[in-house]
Amino acid sequence: MGDESFKTTTVMEVFHLLLKYIHYPEMDTKLQEIYDLIETLPDEGQAKEYLKVIVRYVLIASPVPTQRVVQHARRFPGGEDMAGAALQEIREELQHDFDRKAEEYEQRGEQRGELKQSREMLLEAISEKFGTISADLVRRINSVESHETLKMLFKQTFRVDSLEEFKEQVHRATDN
């Protein structure tokens, strides 16, 4: 569609420019056009709300350097503060996301470590009771991703009388 078809309202034109150029270097010059259009809006409160959204979006998604976004925003009363507040919000969100991801990775690492330790203990118990065990049995046990299953298999080492009985238990647990 041509640019003219979006010039039905000022707001439509603003968002057309914003969405069309957000990922391109031309966004720097288009930001001036967008701000020119925002200044023409009759409702100052509405203009300020649009400006907040636009500044935040441009800071997050565009290749325009932060300094340039702030510089452009200075033309509005409180624009520099608005850009600073948007930057602070973005930093806080990023820090929160980083902290959450780090916690998730830490928990996953702990779970993997606990699973590894449980598998090693099970393999050691089997070796102590039955001697050498096959590579297939080791592979099957190492494929178990459930603490409950490993715990059940560990208990089975004390209940079964032969390695064959134990293998049957492992096959039942790992074939499901």
Side-chain angles (χ1 to χ4, degrees), residues 8-56:
T8 57
T9 67
T10 301
V11 173
M12 186 73 159
E13 191 171 351
V14 164
F15 287 105
H16 166 251
L17 290 170
L18 187 62
L19 295 173
K20 183 174 181 178
Y21 293 100
I22 192 65
H23 298 295
Y24 299 99
E26 295 87 10
M27 186 69 222
D28 193 1
T29 56
K30 294 301 178 181
L31 200 52
Q32 284 295 337
E33 288 179 46
I34 289 169
Y35 287 172
D36 290 342
L37 289 165
I38 288 176
E39 284 181 328
T40 67
L41 291 173
D43 183 345
E44 194 173 304
Q46 186 183 37
K48 194 170 187 174
E49 287 303 312
Y50 285 132
L51 183 62
K52 281 182 191 178
V53 171
I54 291 166
V55 166
R56 185 175 168 81

Side-chain angles (χ1 to χ4, degrees), residues 94-107:
L94 288 172
Q95 185 63 49
H96 174 74
D97 287 349
F98 176 80
D99 292 344
R100 186 178 48 79
K101 290 279 188 198
E103 189 175 310
E104 287 174 15
Y105 287 131
E106 185 177 325
Q107 288 173 350

Side-chain angles (χ1 to χ4, degrees), residues 106-123:
E106 185 177 325
Q107 288 173 350
R108 278 193 246 150
E110 287 173 4
Q111 289 171 347
R112 281 195 296 264
E114 290 170 4
L115 280 170
K116 182 179 178 188
Q117 187 176 18
S118 295
R119 289 182 195 117
E120 288 172 358
M121 287 181 64
L122 176 59
L123 290 168

